[in-house]
Amino acid sequence: MKTICVIGVGYVGLVTGTCFADLGNKVTALDINEERIANLRRGILPIYESGLEEMVKRNVAAGRLTFTTDYCEALRDAEFAFIAVGTPEGVDGEADLQYVRAAAEAIAECITKPIIIVNKSTVPVGTGDWVADIVRAKQSQPVPFSVVSCPEFLREGSALQDFMNPARTVLGSLDKEAANKVAELHLPLRAPIVVTDLRTAEMIKYASNAFLATKISFINEIANICEALGADVKEVAAGMGYDPRIGKQFLDAGLGYGGSCFPKDVKALAYMANVQGRHPQLLQTVMEINNYQRRLAVIKVRQLVGNLNGKIVGLLGLAFKANTDDMRDAPALSIARALQLEGAQVRGYDPVSMNHARRLMPALQLCEDAYAVATGAHALVICTEWNEFKQLDFERIKGLMKTPNLVDGRNLYDPAWMQRLGFNYCGVGRG
Ligand code: NAD
């Protein structure tokens, strides 16, 4: 059993802290958001993630997981301090490190015995050294510490499964002893452990996300060519995916990537390259294609409906992907705004992210289910690949709609079946 403090109780911090507690460690999870901590103490989670609520309750009941807003209390006995605060997009795409700085300063002020600071947040190359400088400069009395980079690769929607079964654990540090101690913590996860230096570990995270984003933009570009040439991108992707050099994953053409990671991480990597005088042409193109996919969905609605002024368009799914309530940089947000700019009345429904939608898009009319969205609509756009949309009663939906126009931004349906049902159907790359 190790004593761990996790700083930042969001998607990564809450999952990290809860999983380490479940593995038998004593975890104090700390956040500056008092309401979040008060809710967690009452068993109310700030995020939706399958299986997480039950795991949190189990570990709280066992006394292995506690929540606090008090840094000095959280760090008193901690052998490890995991930083898992947000690193959102700042000016010009640069990662905003204000929360990492605040966490590093607070650690420096509170530690009274040696500690290993483990950075889980996605941070620009060089941040580990910067954190060490901040802690050193802020300490009132010198207490030994080490900084280890341990980037997180979990995906929202399957976060517990991903955390407990990682493809690899990456550790970056020049302090071999510290890296070994962090490696020991991860041994129960039975994944290959890559030990490297701080900067390389930080780069592995950005390079991995940029590669996956590139794969998504690649298949979207192929989809758009398929559309023009009469080929079907779903079958193209399936045919490509059998090749182990290519792989099946991240080859779903659609509305492009969204969420709190890929968009900001690709931008931050491009920013780092630009600052160093490099020309990140591929990354720029990946971002351009991604933005275009969202615009293209609106173009398709316009092609089906005509002038959008006064028309009713329904969005099915608002979260950036299925099985999460996260709406940060969700395609549905940009599509709704673009449709509203053209005068359309936009409504939507999502199985779990309605509260976020209410806050982020007050002008969006929220409906209680897919059928309510369809009632009187001139077009529907599938924005999220939720399972519950896969077998909707489309006869009923067609009867409810003003005009049966369907833009399937996630390629959930068979175009021939939709046409047989009488829909004007437009998928992505289904030539
Ligand atoms: P989040 O926004 O869900 O949570 C961040 C939390 O940090 C919030 O609860 C916030 O109140 C808290 N916080 C901010 N400043 C603080 C401080 N000074 N002290 C204590 N708490 C503070 O963020 P997230 O999605 O969990 O992402 C965290 C990091 O992990 C980011 O760098 C992100 O890029 C990276 N990451 C995220 C994912 C993901 O799927 N969300 C996956 C891998 C890596």
Side-chain angles (χ1 to χ4, degrees), residues 7-14 30-33 36 46-47 71 83-88 98-104 106 120-123 151-156 205 209 260-261 264-265 320 326 328:
I7 299 167
V9 192
Y11 283 87
V12 169
L14 185 56
L30 170 140
D31 206 288
I32 47 167
N33 184 330
R36 188 165 276 211
I47 56 167
Y71 262 98
I83 299 180
V85 298
T87 48
Q98 61 169 308
Y99 307 108
V100 176
R101 173 190 278 281
K120 273 234 156 275
S121 297
T122 304
V123 289
E152 182 50 59
F153 297 95
L154 64 77
R155 293 162 300 175
E156 288 173 21
K205 174 63 190 176
N209 275 7
S260 66
C261 292
K264 75 160 173 73
D265 291 346
F320 86 92
D326 200 343
R328 290 179 283 188

